[in-house]
Amino acid sequence: MSSTINRRRFDRYQLSPMYTPVGIRVEGVDDVVFEGHAYDVCEGGLQFELDVGIKPGTAVHVQLTFPATVAGDAGATGTGRSVFATGNVVWLDESEPGPVRMAVAITKFAEETDRARLVRVVSSGRLAKAA
């Protein structure tokens, strides 16, 4: 029996990085969007990778686009499959060569419909819980 305490507020769900693009724009830098892939998501944040690291504490805008097979009725096409949110980078791992893994804690959704879309996707049963 594990004595580890789960301090997470929301369950995390695995994503297929190859099919789950993420766009990250640093607050105040409107003309640059970093493109990468998401690894897992929950209502409170997401883990993803980019070709460059973003310093923890940095405010960012996120666009997470679910594959149609995962989005289901949460949004049929284009940005209807995306969730738009604002958050802060909480950690990054540059220990491996190549893309940099990091995580964002969501502080605000662009619209209530973005939060609702994310909740529908993670509660749909189409995603496996992350460890």
Side-chain angles (χ1 to χ4, degrees):
M1 184 168 161
S2 175
S3 63
T4 304
I5 298 171
N6 182 1
R7 292 185 176 95
R8 294 185 184 278
R9 184 171 166 201
F10 304 104
D11 288 333
R12 291 181 305 137
Y13 293 88
Q14 296 175 350
L15 297 168
S16 180
M18 178 181 246
Y19 301 107
T20 313
V22 64
I24 304 292
R25 185 172 53 81
V26 174
E27 178 78 33
V29 184
D30 292 335
D31 58 344
V32 178
V33 176
F34 298 103
E35 296 178 353
H37 304 281
Y39 282 86
D40 63 46
V41 66
C42 71
E43 190 176 341
L46 68 147
Q47 179 185 171
F48 59 97
E49 71 177 17
L50 301 174
D51 288 336
V52 297
I54 298 174
K55 186 174 112 181
T58 303
V60 295
H61 299 279
V62 176
Q63 178 181 358
L64 171 66
T65 304
F66 293 108
T69 55
V70 171
D73 64 358
T77 60
T79 58
R81 294 192 334 242
S82 294
V83 171
F84 297 88
T86 302
N88 295 302
V89 175
V90 291
W91 63 261
L92 74 115
D93 180 1
E94 295 177 297
S95 65
E96 300 287 326
V100 180
R101 282 219 192 179
M102 60 200 91
V104 164
I106 295 172
T107 55
K108 181 175 119 181
F109 289 92
E111 302 284 338
E112 177 57 27
T113 55
D114 291 294
R115 189 195 67 74
R117 183 176 303 112
L118 176 58
V119 169
R120 273 196 310 274
V121 169
V122 299
S123 63
S124 69
R126 293 183 177 104
L127 299 173
K129 283 190 178 179

